[in-house]
Amino acid sequence: MEGSPGFWSMSEQGCRNLSQTYAAEAGAFVLHCTAVLSQPGIDAMKTAGSPIMGSPVAGSSAVIGPDGRILKAAESGSEQLIIADLDMSLVTKTKTFADAGGHYSRPDMLWLGAE
């Protein structure tokens, strides 16, 4: 895969997808931070041709909401500051939807105790 050592999880799409999955599973905001790597940077680090940091990448930084939705992303392939207003009530909404400790916990199916 272009820009990765051959693993989908190390590609731009794969890394962002994993961050979105983490946000949805944790019900938390995630800051997905990646680097912008130019050819002069590769030359300075002497990493040309290596599987990691061996080719230019545009970066794919983003702010991801607790439901896995991208709230704000980089607008170009150059270095930039990404600013997003976070609505903390989204955390409560997301975690209430899953309700792992309430209605869906199924106490009739699981009992932890000793007799």
Side-chain angles (χ1 to χ4, degrees), residues 2-114:
E2 187 176 333
S4 74
F7 299 111
W8 179 81
S9 61
M10 293 295 291
S11 69
E12 178 181 333
Q13 181 186 14
C15 287
R16 187 177 278 184
N17 184 274
L18 291 170
S19 292
Q20 288 178 276
T21 301
Y22 181 77
E25 285 183 349
F29 289 97
V30 170
L31 302 177
H32 174 71
C33 304
T34 62
V36 174
L37 186 58
S38 64
Q39 191 59 50
I42 293 168
D43 296 340
M45 294 186 297
K46 298 180 173 69
T47 56
S50 69
I52 298 176
M53 301 186 106
S55 60
V57 291
S60 66
S61 297
V63 178
I64 303 169
D67 63 350
R69 192 176 322 203
I70 295 175
L71 303 177
K72 186 78 172 181
E75 296 174 3
S76 68
S78 61
E79 292 184 10
Q80 60 190 281
L81 183 63
I82 300 173
I83 299 173
D85 290 323
L86 305 181
D87 180 359
M88 298 312 253
S89 70
L90 292 176
V91 173
T92 305
K93 287 179 186 176
T94 303
K95 291 188 178 196
T96 302
F97 179 74
D99 193 23
H103 178 262
Y104 297 108
S105 65
R106 296 294 308 264
D108 58 315
M109 300 293 286
L110 176 66
W111 177 73
L112 299 175

